[in-house]
Amino acid sequence: PRAPSKGFAVVVDPLCDYLGKALVEELRDRGVAVATTLSDYAAAGLAAMHDVAPPLELLTPAAGAEPAWLERAFSADGEDLPDTLTPLACFSESDCGIATAERVAAALKCRHANDVAPKRRHKWLLHEALAEAGLPRCRQRLCETAAEALEFFEDEVARGGARVVVKPCRGVGSEDVALCASREDIEAAMAMLGATTRYAGGPNDFVVAQSFLDGPEFAVDSVSRDGEHKVTAVWKYDKRPVGAAPFCYQATRLVSTEEAAPVLAALRRALDALGHDHGPAHSELIVDRGEPTLVELNARFHNANVRPLVNRCVPGSPNAIA
């Protein structure tokens, strides 16, 4: 905390100089007090990396203990938490901290907080929510066994599809995502995922099989407040197969909002359907046969040091996290 006047915020997993740490400094510069904490997943990763567990005071409190933890965070810095200080928001630098940020924001009754909703993080639940809202989505099946994934593949082939995607329910950067064009591919993908753990912790006991969306892929950085969505940057991915890997990043290019207008319209509808009314989002959409479809939503900032690029390429861009 530092001489707060506008309220306080919590930042989960502020580990990168250009992301979480930069956000903490910017919030403080704007008169917002800040408390920081580590998600369980990030704390476990740091412990494994350095062979020592982080101090308990750096860890996120258990459910129900958030207000007392916040009091201790302020008192440790030599300050008392004023009763009139408004809880504003809770941000996460990392994907693995998003669930923690949602839970802490709800417990502290933050002014700018979304409801706690796994549908924004779980890839199968996300597309089920899109379907319920009548929005474009992937055909899909939640699979526990290779037989279930094979059945979905056969259904897609009967529809005229030649390929399906098999991936974890949670994941980042196309990691462990398989593009399958045969029964053998399906069996290999299921075996691979069964031998790995899910991002943010836990086994891949269930995986998602989805119809393959064939078309250009866009990533959109946005920020929302009270259901109003503002776009800060639009990127177009250049992903290509390399060897046995089906989705390898070759380049990520800034594109104009005019070029991406249909994508942005689709994103705004999806954000509304998923209840993302507050905070940053890094979303990915694929335009298949002219129809933009949300692939995933990440309620965090762009996890790359894009600030210098955005500030130079976007006229009038503020020096803020994109």
Side-chain angles (χ1 to χ4, degrees):
R2 183 189 299 168
S5 61
K6 296 181 179 178
F8 70 85
V10 177
V11 179
V12 179
D13 297 340
L15 302 175
C16 293
D17 290 339
Y18 55 82
L19 285 175
K21 292 181 181 178
L23 175 61
V24 169
E25 289 305 310
E26 184 150 345
L27 288 167
R28 287 175 168 169
D29 288 344
R30 292 170 181 259
V32 177
V34 181
T36 61
T37 188
L38 294 174
S39 66
D40 291 345
Y41 187 80
L46 290 171
M49 183 184 302
H50 301 287
D51 199 27
V52 59
L56 289 177
E57 58 266 24
L58 297 183
L59 304 182
T60 303
E66 296 91 351
W69 162 81
L70 190 66
E71 292 277 1
R72 292 196 301 273
F74 273 78
S75 62
D77 211 37
E79 301 180 30
D80 292 324
L81 180 62
D83 293 336
T84 57
L85 196 59
T86 303
L88 296 175
C90 187
F91 303 96
S92 176
E93 173 187 292
S94 67
D95 286 274
C96 61
I98 292 174
T100 297
E102 284 186 359
R103 189 249 297 174
V104 172
L108 298 178
K109 297 181 172 60
C110 288
R111 166 67 182 82
H112 303 290
N114 300 310
D115 63 334
V116 178
K119 66 184 178 183
R120 289 190 293 271
R121 304 184 299 273
H122 191 287
K123 298 180 189 299
W124 182 80
L125 291 175
L126 182 146
H127 284 268
E128 291 299 295
L130 294 177
E132 289 178 8
L135 297 178
R137 48 90 180 188
C138 291
R139 292 186 299 275
Q140 62 176 0
R141 180 165 179 177
L142 190 63
C143 303
E144 186 177 15
T145 65
E148 291 171 337
L150 286 167
E151 185 177 344
F152 178 80
F153 173 71
E154 297 294 351
D155 289 344
E156 285 297 298
V157 170
R159 288 173 173 267
R163 294 173 290 181
V164 302
V165 173
V166 176
K167 58 186 178 182
C169 296
R170 294 283 308 279
V172 293
S174 297
E175 183 177 340
D176 293 335
V177 176
L179 182 60
C180 302
S182 67
R183 295 178 62 87
E184 291 76 18
D185 289 345
I186 293 286
E187 291 170 345
M190 293 297 292
M192 179 268 293
L193 287 167
T196 59
T197 56
R198 185 171 63 243
Y199 182 80
N204 283 314
D205 44 359
F206 286 88
V207 303
V208 185
Q210 293 181 330
S211 54
F212 176 62
L213 299 179
D214 192 6
E217 183 173 359
F218 294 83
V220 182
D221 299 324
S222 64
V223 63
S224 304
R225 177 175 176 174
D226 296 325
E228 182 179 4
H229 313 299
K230 299 288 188 179
V231 171
T232 61
V234 185
W235 310 84
K236 191 173 185 179
Y237 287 153
D238 180 0
K239 289 183 182 179
R240 308 175 193 175
V242 175
F247 305 108
C248 291
Y249 291 87
Q250 300 296 312
T252 303
R253 299 181 175 87
L254 275 171
V255 298
S256 69
T257 53
E258 289 78 12
E259 177 184 345
V263 172
L264 301 185
L267 172 63
R268 289 187 171 96
R269 291 191 291 270
L271 291 174
D272 289 341
L274 294 167
H276 184 86
D277 296 328
H278 300 280
H282 179 73
S283 308
E284 297 176 351
L285 300 93
I286 294 177
V287 181
D288 181 27
R289 290 170 289 185
E291 184 172 63
T293 300
L294 180 69
V295 177
E296 64 178 60
L297 164 67
N298 305 290
R300 56 159 172 82
F301 297 102
H302 192 141
N303 258 348
N305 190 9
V306 300
R307 297 174 71 190
L309 178 63
V310 171
N311 289 340
R312 293 191 63 178
C313 294
V314 181
S317 173
N319 184 23
I321 295 177

